[in-house]
């Protein structure tokens, strides 16, 4: 299998609230909720970078589509990494996330590996790491 991820879908409990957090709070661009005309079809897409989208889809819709029972969400199952170009940008993104209503889980700090990062959770508990890695260039 050739690795080719084009959509990262995260389950949400309140699609409207999650849309407001990402669009209005963090400034992500979107057409808004699409697919309302289909039962279990309402979804929000954000273009993150060429070839990669973030989708918000209700957990109930994911459970229905897959046939799996909706279980308890766990924020430690995965993180979404947002890499930036400086420590100051980490601080700026963390402040924007806080203002949008994110829970700051771990304030931005110098890391043991030489970078700088912090963690926040969106309204559904999804964990984001905002990180500057001096070994990576944009």
């Amino acid at each position: 299998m050739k690795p080719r991820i084009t959509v990262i879908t995260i389950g949400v409990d309140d699609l409207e609230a999650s849309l407001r957090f990402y669009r209005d709070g963090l400034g992500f661009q979107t057409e808004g909720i699409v697919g309302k005309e289909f039962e279990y079809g309402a979804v929000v897409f954000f273009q993150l970078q060429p070839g990669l989208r973030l989708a918000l889809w209700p957990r109930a819709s994911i459970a229905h589509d897959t046939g799996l029972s909706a279980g308890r969400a766990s924020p430690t199952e995965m993180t979404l990494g947002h890499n930036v170009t400086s420590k100051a940008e980490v601080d700026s993104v963390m402040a924007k996330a806080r203002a949008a209503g994110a829970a700051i889980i771990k304030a931005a700090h110098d890391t043991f590996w030489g970078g700088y990062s912090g963690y926040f959770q969106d309204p559904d508990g999804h964990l984001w790491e905002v990180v500057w890695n001096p070994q990576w260039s944009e």
Side-chain angles (χ1 to χ4, degrees):
M1 175 175 142
K2 182 178 179 180
R4 188 176 307 151
I5 295 174
T6 57
V7 179
I8 298 171
T9 302
I10 57 176
V12 300
D13 292 322
D14 183 333
L15 191 57
E16 292 279 349
S18 293
L19 169 62
R20 285 190 302 274
F21 175 79
Y22 284 98
R23 180 193 61 205
D24 303 337
L26 297 183
F28 288 18
Q29 299 296 307
T30 182
E31 294 178 23
I33 299 173
V34 297
K36 288 182 183 180
E37 67 273 23
F38 304 108
E39 186 176 12
Y40 300 106
V43 64
V44 175
F45 293 104
F46 302 99
Q47 185 73 45
L48 298 179
Q49 58 209 39
L52 182 61
R53 288 182 174 81
L54 175 68
L56 308 177
W57 201 20
R59 286 185 171 109
S61 297
I62 294 172
H64 174 75
D65 197 52
T66 62
L68 295 171
S69 297
R72 277 192 35 205
S74 171
T76 59
E77 294 298 319
M78 67 172 278
T79 65
L80 296 164
H82 179 65
N83 285 272
V84 298
T85 59
S86 68
K87 289 182 176 185
E89 193 174 357
V90 170
D91 291 336
S92 175
V93 171
M94 293 292 288
K96 187 170 193 168
R98 180 190 309 273
I104 303 301
I105 301 305
K106 190 171 188 180
H109 63 285
D110 291 314
T111 65
F112 69 90
W113 47 267
Y116 187 75
S117 74
Y119 288 94
F120 72 84
Q121 281 182 305
D122 74 4
D124 289 282
H126 299 292
L127 195 57
W128 285 78
E129 180 185 23
V130 182
V131 60
W132 169 70
N133 183 337
Q135 304 302 313
W136 292 2
S137 61
E138 294 263 334

